[in-house]
Structures are given as structure tokens and as C-alpha cells.
Amino acid sequence: MDRRTLLTGAGAAALASTLPGLAAAANSLPLSAPVRVGRVTLRCRDAEALAAWYQSAVGLQEITREGATIWLGAGGERLLGLTERSGLDLPGQQEAGLFHTAILLPSRRDLANWIAMAVERRIPVDGTADHRVSEAIYLTDPEGNGVEIYADTPQAGWRWVDGEVQMGSYRLDLEGIMATLGALPPLWTGAPAGTSIGHVHMKVGDAPRAGRWWQETLGFDAVSSRDDAVFLSTGGYHHHIAVNQWLSAGAGRRSERTTGLELLELLRRDSGPMEQFEDDWGTAIRLA
């Protein structure tokens, strides 16, 4: 995925100049889905340092600690677990694993407040994009894990053609986002209640095969498919899961001795037994 406009240097100054005197706008939240992403656990070299980064740069709060795992979240809900293990290596870019964890903010105004904070603190940003279903900003954490901060656009404006949602990567309307603040000064006190993990995007060795696995094993719907990437969801969301082979075509199973995705936990809306799965690249998935 093309990650374009950097919010550093002159870009940050230009963004900061749009803050005062702008009008407010509203945003909508995704509909509840039969199965959605609940929590993500990362295995890491230094949980303390990584937790500090996710608190400062993303706005997550520490919820609890369980052994070697630090749990972070928002509104008292656990979203991200950081499990420290000794002797881990950083994975190569061409290996299968995590592409990014996408943090969904409740509203476009929350995204504006996050942007103002990022500019003030000079948080390095990889790129931005308007995906027509969401507005997103991309970061990389200190151990190389991709992070997306995003807000959904109103679902009434999502366009579906033959069962596929129409997405893409376009220039982000930063002025429009910051306009949601109106005359109010930016106010960021951390990720607000209602923040969730909207989707998880993974690198795999064969995207079409991975897409079929998610459909046949876990019952997800493919909502956007091409040769090198498949986007999947339940309940008509634009995507809860994405798999791509942009950097990792032909990759085999992930090493257990590298940092990155440890466990992806999905939550079902209706009651049912806890089930454990593993995809062809060694990613552990729990349906709870």
C-alpha cells in the first residue's frame, strides 16, 4: 500500500497552521459485526519501552499486567498486549507477519485531536491516505510493527459494486479533518473510550490462498480481492482482516524467535465455545 504524505518538517508546519477557526463535522461508527477484532498481542524485546511508545504516540493507557505481558487499551478495555521475550530477532521485511494493527478512533474529531498532538510532539509518520471508507495515518513502532490510526467515513457514503467495497489510496483531506475542531483548541488526553482495533493487516506468502482460508475456516466475506491482496470482513464492514503479499510473496512460516504478532483474538457477537486456529504462516488466531 502506498504510504504517501509525511507529516514532518514543512508538512507538520502546514498542518499546524490549519488548526484555528474551523467548523465542526460528524462521523459515524462501524456497525456491530458477527465477528470482529478484539485484541492483539505482540511479542517484543522490550515491553516497557514499547508500552511507553504506544502510550505517548497512540494514546493507549496501561490497563493491567499479567506476568511478562503489559496490557494497554482505552476506556478500561484491553486492546493491545505486549509480551516480552528474551532473545528475539527482528523479522525481515520479506517475511510473513504483521503489516499493521489499525487503531480505530470513534470520530473524525478524535482523529483531528490526535493529529494536532502528533504535530506538537513531532511524532514521525510514515504516510497518510484517504481510502474512501476511512481516513488513515501510518506509523511504525520502535520494534518495526506497523500501526494505523484511523477514523471511518460515514457508511452511507461507502460504495459497493458486485459485493465489493470500493477502496483506494487518495490524498488525505487534512484541512477537512482539522475543521471538525471548529473554534475549539485541540484536546488530546489519550485514546478516548470507544477506541478499538478496527482491523489487522498481515503479510503472507500467498494472498489468494490466505483469503480462501479466512473464508472457509472462519466464515469471513471477501469484500475486496485482487491477485496480491484480499480484504475480508463480517457484517458488511469495509474490512476486519487484510492479507497481502506486497513484500512477502512466497514467504513460508513465521519464526517463533522473531518479534511481531503473537496472537490475534477475534470476538463473536453471539455466544459460542472458544476456538483456536493457526493459518498457513503460523499466525495464532483465537475466536472467543
Side-chain angles (χ1 to χ4, degrees):
M1 185 69 69
D2 182 25
R3 297 178 177 179
R4 306 179 190 180
T5 309
L6 299 182
L7 290 180
T8 54
L15 175 60
S17 70
T18 69
L19 297 182
L22 301 174
N27 189 25
S28 65
L29 295 175
L31 298 174
S32 59
V35 178
R36 63 179 177 86
V37 178
R39 289 173 280 273
V40 165
T41 304
L42 303 178
R43 55 184 183 241
C44 58
R45 289 172 155 182
D46 188 337
E48 293 286 354
L50 210 54
W53 184 87
Y54 276 97
Q55 290 175 83
S56 175
V58 179
L60 299 182
Q61 300 97 44
E62 182 173 326
I63 304 297
T64 189
R65 297 186 178 214
E66 296 176 348
T69 302
I70 301 174
W71 280 101
L72 306 175
E77 295 293 325
R78 296 191 300 178
L79 300 176
L80 181 68
L82 304 173
T83 300
E84 184 170 321
R85 291 187 181 178
S86 62
L88 294 181
D89 297 319
L90 299 178
Q93 281 197 328
Q94 295 179 331
E95 295 179 39
L98 182 67
F99 191 63
H100 62 241
T101 301
I103 307 297
L104 173 60
L105 298 177
S107 73
R108 203 181 192 209
R109 177 177 288 179
D110 293 317
L111 184 59
N113 281 316
W114 182 89
I115 290 171
M117 176 277 295
V119 169
E120 180 181 358
R121 297 182 186 177
R122 298 184 176 276
I123 293 172
V125 170
D126 297 336
T128 70
D130 176 350
H131 293 305
R132 294 296 187 255
V133 294
S134 62
E135 295 175 304
I137 299 171
Y138 296 94
L139 320 170
T140 301
D141 78 17
E143 295 198 5
N145 301 294
V147 180
E148 177 182 340
I149 309 293
Y150 80 108
D152 281 332
T153 60
Q155 288 185 320
W158 298 359
R159 185 167 173 258
W160 295 79
V161 177
D162 296 329
E164 293 211 341
V165 66
Q166 305 303 292
M167 298 186 289
S169 291
Y170 306 92
R171 183 181 178 86
L172 189 65
D173 179 12
L174 289 170
E175 286 196 12
I177 294 170
M178 303 312 294
T180 62
L181 296 175
L184 298 174
L187 178 62
W188 178 258
T189 58
T195 297
S196 63
I197 297 181
H199 64 268
V200 174
H201 199 148
M202 291 172 284
K203 298 187 294 180
V204 296
D206 185 327
R209 177 156 60 100
R212 289 192 298 272
W213 184 89
W214 278 92
Q215 293 172 80
E216 296 167 2
T217 305
L218 287 164
F220 277 61
D221 300 314
V223 293
S224 181
S225 300
R226 55 201 219 201
D227 291 342
D228 57 0
V230 182
F231 298 79
L232 306 109
S233 75
T234 73
Y237 192 49
H238 56 72
H239 67 294
H240 294 104
I241 297 294
V243 290
N244 80 66
Q245 60 183 60
W246 297 327
L247 299 173
S248 55
R253 285 179 63 86
R254 301 170 53 212
S255 169
E256 295 182 359
R257 300 306 305 165
T258 57
T259 60
L261 186 59
E262 171 86 347
L263 177 66
L264 168 57
E265 188 168 354
L266 305 174
L267 300 179
R268 56 162 57 100
R269 185 175 58 199
D270 300 327
S271 61
M274 182 178 294
E275 299 177 80
Q276 193 88 11
F277 304 89
E278 186 179 89
D279 72 6
D280 293 340
W281 291 273
T283 297
I285 298 145
R286 179 183 296 158
L287 180 61

